[in-house]
């Protein structure tokens, strides 16, 4: 029965990779940093990311309401946001960030706003998916410890 | 071994990590701890200098009494950039021998060259991997003998193929950097080998 849960968890993860939400290499790298003493490290990092980036999202939101737009500031915020997003392996989000930064460079305000709407959707969507994944992982986790020999 | 070597005999490397991004600090801290390093993570160049005692012109012993064996700093930080921090460290007689590694999410060749010329040990492209940290640890512990012989600098770009992953640049160094190169070879030795 445990093997079935493991397979389900692995499938969930594979789906996140295949659909492009997560970068396989980076996310796997983070998981490799987990051990018995730190079994929920990835969840902790992701939680930290969502908490920390909420502030950035808000800053960008406010900056996009200004007229005229301060592209240098927007670029700066987005670089920060892109950095953290990369660190957790958020692939689609990273691409949205890159797009946004391109629009900043060309001074395309409409492009920035459009991309930002897309980005926010992706940000929320990923959060739900990851919450679901970690919730399931926590359930599977203890079973793994129980059946894995020392 | 050089008679100049004031080797630090330590069981673990103590790394000072500097990054304004909270998520990255958490990750680098974990990468280092898993690689058996002690970590002090700070959020800015200013804090890093305070920790290193540069303000008070003390030795490179942090407030908790631990000597810093390696500094890893992000390049893009508000206030003082990683590059500016690097320069300050390399122009301090107390601190210049501490190897400094720059981390950046942007592979800008001019930026990389600038950092290496100023005496950075390495330039790592983010996100930093466990293999990067392990390699750094080995370099710091054993010293890079090739580097000693050829006086060359390393450039690591993640996207380059394995055969060209090390680009050796033999451009003459500036006097300040050359001096820092010679004294850079003070490396810690472990009491117990792995």
């Amino acid at each position: 029965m445990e093997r079935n849960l493991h397979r389900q968890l692995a499938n969930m993860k594979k789906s996140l990779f295949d659909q492009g939400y997560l970068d396989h290499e980076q996310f796997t790298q983070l998981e490799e940093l987990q051990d018995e003493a730190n079994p929920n490290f990835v969840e902790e990092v992701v939680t930290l990311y969502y908490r920390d980036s909420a502030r950035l999202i808000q800053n960008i939101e406010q900056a996009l309401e200004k007229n005229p737009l301060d592209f240098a500031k927007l670029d700066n915020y987005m670089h920060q946001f892109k950095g953290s997003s990369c660190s957790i392996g958020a692939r689609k989000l990273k691409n949205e960030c890159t797009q946004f930064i391109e629009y900043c460079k060309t001074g395309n305000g409409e492009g920035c706003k459009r991309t930002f709407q897309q980005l926010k959707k992706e940000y929320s969507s990923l959060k739900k998916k990851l919450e679901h994944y970690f919730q399931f992982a926590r359930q599977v986790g203890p079973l793994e410890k129980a059946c894995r020999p020392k | 071994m050089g008679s100049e070597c004031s080797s630090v005999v330590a069981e673990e490397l103590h790394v000072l990590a500097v990054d304004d991004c909270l998520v990255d600090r958490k990750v680098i801290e974990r990468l280092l701890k898993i690689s058996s390093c002690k970590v002090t993570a700070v959020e800015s160049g200013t804090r890093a200098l305070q920790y290193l005692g540069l303000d008070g012109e003390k030795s490179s012993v942090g407030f908790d009494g631990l000597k810093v064996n390696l500094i890893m700093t992000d390049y893009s930080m508000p206030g003082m950039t990683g590059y500016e921090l690097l320069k300050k460290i390399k122009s301090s007689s107390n601190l210049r021998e501490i190897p400094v590694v720059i981390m950046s999410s942007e592979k800008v060749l001019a930026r990389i060259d600038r950092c290496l010329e100023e005496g950075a040990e390495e330039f790592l492209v983010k996100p930093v991997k466990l293999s990067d940290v392990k390699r750094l640890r080995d370099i710091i512990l054993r010293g890079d003998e090739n580097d000693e012989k050829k006086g060359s600098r390393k450039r690591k770009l993640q996207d380059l193929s394995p055969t060209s992953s090390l680009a050796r640049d033999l451009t003459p160094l500036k006097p300040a950097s050359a001096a820092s190169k010679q004294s850079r070879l003070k490396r810690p030795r472990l009491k117990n080998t792995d």
Side-chain angles (χ1 to χ4, degrees):
Chain A
M1 185 172 112
E2 292 91 44
R3 227 181 292 152
N4 192 29
L5 285 173
H6 279 175
R7 206 182 304 132
Q8 265 185 275
L9 185 67
N11 285 339
M12 274 180 78
K13 190 166 57 170
K14 188 173 185 298
S15 165
L16 289 170
F17 292 149
D18 290 345
Q19 291 174 42
Y21 287 106
L22 290 180
D23 176 72
H24 182 277
E25 194 184 357
Q26 182 56 17
F27 198 76
T28 305
Q29 171 78 157
L30 289 179
E31 287 192 317
E32 278 171 15
L33 301 180
Q34 293 185 145
D35 57 19
E36 285 192 7
N38 300 270
N40 304 307
F41 176 71
V42 189
E43 186 180 358
E44 287 165 21
V45 176
V46 172
T47 305
L48 187 65
Y49 164 78
Y50 274 99
R51 201 159 13 120
D52 194 48
S53 57
R55 173 189 47 94
L56 268 174
I57 295 281
Q58 205 172 28
N59 288 343
I60 296 170
E61 191 106 65
Q62 285 170 4
L64 281 172
E65 282 164 17
K66 297 252 156 73
N67 193 11
L69 292 177
D70 183 345
F71 288 107
K73 195 181 242 185
L74 285 167
D75 181 274
N76 186 23
Y77 284 144
M78 193 48 78
H79 264 103
Q80 289 179 53
F81 182 69
K82 184 180 171 185
S84 328
S85 304
C86 279
S87 295
I88 67 158
R91 207 166 108 195
K92 273 190 187 174
L93 263 180
K94 177 193 166 184
N95 293 338
E96 301 289 346
C97 293
T98 304
Q99 182 69 78
F100 187 98
I101 289 167
E102 281 305 305
Y103 282 133
C104 281
K105 288 198 176 113
T106 57
N108 185 340
E110 281 313 305
C112 283
K113 289 175 182 172
R114 217 175 33 241
T115 308
F116 190 62
Q117 292 311 311
Q118 192 54 40
L119 187 152
K120 279 196 296 182
K121 281 195 196 126
E122 177 55 38
Y123 181 73
S124 305
S125 171
L126 180 65
K127 186 177 186 192
K128 291 197 185 79
K129 289 188 194 303
L130 286 175
E131 275 170 356
H132 186 216
Y133 174 77
F134 289 128
Q135 208 166 39
F136 196 68
R138 277 180 180 275
Q139 289 170 30
V140 177
L143 289 170
E144 195 169 62
K145 282 178 202 150
C147 65
R148 191 168 39 155
K150 220 14 184 128
Chain B
M1 303 283 175
S3 52
E4 292 273 295
C5 237
S6 64
S7 54
V8 174
V9 182
E11 294 206 321
E12 284 180 321
L13 287 189
H14 178 207
V15 183
L16 177 64
V18 192
D19 201 319
D20 62 310
C21 174
L22 191 50
V23 169
D24 287 353
R25 274 204 309 280
K26 188 170 173 81
V27 174
I28 197 81
E29 197 168 31
R30 185 79 193 124
L31 284 171
L32 288 165
K33 282 185 175 162
I34 271 207
S35 309
S36 310
C37 296
K38 287 196 174 74
V39 192
T40 300
V42 298
E43 66 198 11
S44 69
T46 310
R47 283 259 188 273
L49 291 175
Q50 281 172 357
Y51 184 82
L52 293 165
L54 191 56
D55 295 356
E57 288 172 10
K58 295 184 209 121
S59 70
S60 58
V61 175
F63 288 150
D64 56 0
L66 282 172
K67 186 171 170 72
V68 172
N69 306 120
L70 168 66
I71 297 166
M72 295 182 73
T73 178
D74 188 28
Y75 183 94
S76 310
M77 296 187 292
M80 191 189 301
T81 66
Y83 176 66
E84 286 160 356
L85 175 62
L86 168 69
K87 281 202 291 187
K88 284 197 154 66
I89 290 166
K90 292 303 172 186
S91 43
S92 154
S93 50
N94 287 332
L95 304 177
R96 70 160 62 105
E97 65 218 47
I98 306 178
V100 180
V101 169
I102 308 284
M103 307 178 283
S104 175
S105 49
E106 292 169 293
K107 291 187 280 266
V108 179
L109 288 188
R111 178 183 289 189
I112 296 171
D113 282 341
R114 203 185 311 143
C115 291
L116 293 177
E117 267 172 39
E118 205 57 46
E121 182 75 28
E122 278 242 9
F123 187 100
L124 294 178
V125 179
K126 282 175 148 185
V128 176
K129 294 181 165 45
L130 195 56
S131 54
D132 291 326
V133 173
K134 291 198 156 137
R135 198 186 73 250
L136 272 182
R137 186 175 166 266
D138 288 345
I139 288 171
I140 305 300
L141 290 177
R142 285 193 261 106
D144 186 16
E145 285 164 14
N146 288 338
D147 200 29
E148 254 179 67
K149 286 174 195 164
K150 295 178 188 173
S152 60
R153 289 163 289 157
K154 298 175 291 292
R155 181 195 292 167
K156 180 167 195 315
L157 300 174
Q158 285 180 352
D159 284 353
L160 290 182
S161 67
T163 49
S164 58
S165 63
L166 293 178
R168 307 232 160 209
D169 187 341
L170 300 174
T171 313
L173 300 168
K174 291 184 215 159
S177 305
S180 79
K181 263 209 170 304
Q182 285 166 11
S183 57
R184 188 157 38 95
L185 304 169
K186 301 184 188 195
R187 44 194 189 273
R189 286 200 299 266
L190 286 182
K191 272 182 187 161
N192 308 306
T193 49
D194 290 13

